[in-house]
Amino acid sequence: MERRRFLEAVAAGLPVCVAGCIGDPDGGVLTGSDDSDGTVPGDRDSVVTEPDLPLSESDLIRAAPKDDIPAITDPAFDADWSAVTATLGDRDRVIGVEAGGDARAYPLPVLNWHEVVNDDFGGPLLVTYCPLCQSGVTAERRVDGEETTFGVSGYLWQRDLVLYDDLTDSLWSQILGRAVRGPRTGDSLSLRPSTMTTWGEWRREYPDTSVLLPPPESGTVRPRSTRNYNTNPYGEYEDIRHPRPGASESEKRLPPKSLVIGVATEEVAKAYPLRTVVEAEGVVNDRVGELPVVVASTDESLVAYDRRVDGETLTFGRDGDALTAGESRWGLVSGRALDGPHEGRRLARATDRSPMFWFAWLDFFPGSRVYGQPQ
């Protein structure tokens, strides 16, 4: 646990003897429509982090030895966890991926301990999760067009997971999806769509889904790297509610561990806090620059879609667990029209990244606005 405490403290910007930073799932901001766009003046005024590459070693923080967090390299799947000793509950969160009409779920009770899954699903698939940022990113598992295996480097950058690829040993920023050091510096991964939701909600919309099994059923980069998958090693970190030392006024617009989903265009970025969307009856119709979006939530899930269908910009409402627009009902988790004239159509996702903590989104999109807050 000492390594975990060190890693958490470093990510929070605290002295090593103190782990964690402020955490609160509610944003406490205004509700209602907000169609104006721009950036918020503050300490940093660019929309997206554009680092000088390659990063130097001093830019990276060594929080653990390479492969000390053992990536999954030989994943195994089943319909549920009934055959393993660990328990997967309906409220446990998963990263869900659909490919060719099939669906797979990658539970956070596994990803909290392993952070990276190398899979083959709709092609070579990379599933990543950073527990410190609560960010999930999925991508094609290729470097320069060649299939490879990814692992956990043990470094952090911007308080976020840094991966390495086995082909070139380049280092990759998880949230940026870009190589930041090594032979492939500047290259970007081809991101794949995914959904962060709960096991119960994912299974309701994808009843035939399979789910990743924890080790030893799934193999890792290090033999027999099993953990107690009924415990969350970051539980205390998620509950700590004090601010990060030196937090800017821009950061203070929300508690750092507010869960947000961010949408970014080339010139505009905007964050939607979970609490704000829930208070707006679970659906927000908005624009990010020229992109019309619908952001929707349950109490624990948060999604963002492009609300254009066949050239028409739809306005969405709610009907229980479903979205409604264009005389069709749409699955909130899947974005698929369930009935009506659009039945079978699927909304395009407005972001390639999962919901994450506010501080993490702001680290990578420092000019971001917050939906519902005045400029």
Side-chain angles (χ1 to χ4, degrees):
M1 291 302 294
E2 289 304 315
R3 177 181 58 77
R4 292 276 172 181
R5 291 178 185 275
F6 170 77
L7 191 147
E8 293 165 1
V10 168
L14 297 172
V16 173
C17 59
V18 182
C21 55
I22 188 170
D24 195 331
D26 59 84
V29 297
L30 302 174
T31 60
S33 179
D34 177 6
D35 285 331
S36 60
D37 288 288
T39 58
V40 175
D43 301 342
R44 299 169 291 179
D45 57 9
S46 61
V47 172
V48 62
T49 293
E50 291 292 349
D52 292 328
L53 298 179
L55 297 181
S56 68
E57 286 193 34
S58 63
D59 292 321
L60 302 167
I61 295 176
R62 170 63 77 184
K66 183 178 180 180
D67 291 331
D68 195 48
I69 298 173
I72 291 176
T73 54
D74 186 18
F77 297 87
D78 206 338
D80 54 37
W81 278 16
S82 59
V84 301
T85 56
T87 300
L88 183 63
D90 280 349
R91 296 190 65 182
D92 285 323
R93 290 193 298 157
V94 302
I95 295 175
V97 178
E98 184 180 3
D102 294 325
R104 285 184 179 175
Y106 302 83
L108 298 200
V110 175
L111 288 168
N112 275 326
W113 291 101
H114 296 281
E115 301 189 7
V116 172
V117 179
N118 294 273
D119 198 6
D120 191 358
F121 184 54
L125 175 67
L126 172 67
V127 179
T128 71
Y129 177 67
C130 178
L132 297 174
C133 298
Q134 290 208 349
S135 53
V137 178
T138 55
E140 289 187 11
R141 191 166 44 83
R142 300 182 189 274
V143 172
D144 194 27
E146 187 171 348
E147 181 177 335
T148 188
T149 299
F150 285 80
V152 181
S153 71
Y155 287 114
L156 297 174
W157 179 61
Q158 300 272 62
R159 297 177 277 183
D160 179 44
L161 164 66
V162 175
L163 307 116
Y164 74 88
D165 74 84
D166 195 52
L167 183 67
T168 72
D169 207 34
S170 298
L171 298 179
W172 300 77
S173 163
Q174 185 232 15
I175 290 177
L176 277 188
R178 185 183 306 169
V180 293
R181 185 173 172 81
R184 305 311 306 178
T185 294
D187 286 4
S188 294
L189 297 173
S190 180
L191 302 185
R192 292 265 303 269
S194 61
T195 302
M196 182 87 75
T197 184
T198 65
W199 172 232
E201 289 173 345
W202 180 257
R203 189 164 49 173
R204 182 169 59 245
E205 291 206 29
Y206 295 97
D208 296 325
T209 187
S210 58
V211 60
L212 177 71
L213 299 178
E217 282 75 15
S218 291
T220 67
V221 68
R222 287 176 18 212
R224 303 292 298 178
S225 296
T226 61
R227 303 292 188 267
N228 182 354
Y229 300 104
N230 286 326
T231 64
N232 179 359
Y234 294 90
E236 293 182 4
Y237 165 75
E238 293 174 5
D239 291 339
I240 294 173
R241 298 177 176 234
H242 54 75
R244 184 174 70 89
S248 67
E249 290 304 312
S250 184
E251 288 178 90
K252 293 176 183 177
R253 286 177 286 160
L254 292 173
K257 289 183 185 172
S258 298
L259 192 67
V260 305
I261 192 166
V263 179
T265 64
E266 290 185 359
E267 297 180 350
V268 180
K270 189 181 289 188
Y272 296 82
L274 173 61
R275 177 63 179 272
T276 305
V277 180
V278 170
E279 290 181 349
E281 298 184 354
V283 61
V284 168
N285 293 277
D286 196 25
R287 286 183 177 271
V288 180
E290 298 300 315
L291 177 66
V293 300
V294 55
V295 181
S297 71
T298 64
D299 288 341
E300 298 181 79
S301 299
L302 194 55
V303 295
Y305 297 109
D306 183 335
R307 54 191 175 97
R308 294 173 295 188
V309 178
D310 294 332
E312 179 184 3
T313 299
L314 302 180
T315 299
F316 283 80
R318 285 293 290 269
D319 179 12
D321 293 329
L323 299 172
T324 58
E327 300 182 357
S328 289
R329 296 169 66 253
W330 305 75
L332 187 147
V333 169
S334 66
R336 186 178 61 246
L338 307 174
D339 55 26
H342 298 293
E343 184 174 2
R345 293 297 305 273
R346 190 179 299 274
L347 299 172
R349 297 179 189 275
T351 179
D352 291 320
R353 297 163 179 86
S354 79
M356 64 186 72
F357 286 144
W358 162 241
F359 78 78
W361 174 256
L362 193 63
D363 275 347
F364 287 89
F365 296 88
S368 182
R369 296 188 60 222
V370 177
Y371 174 79
Q373 289 191 358
Q375 297 186 48

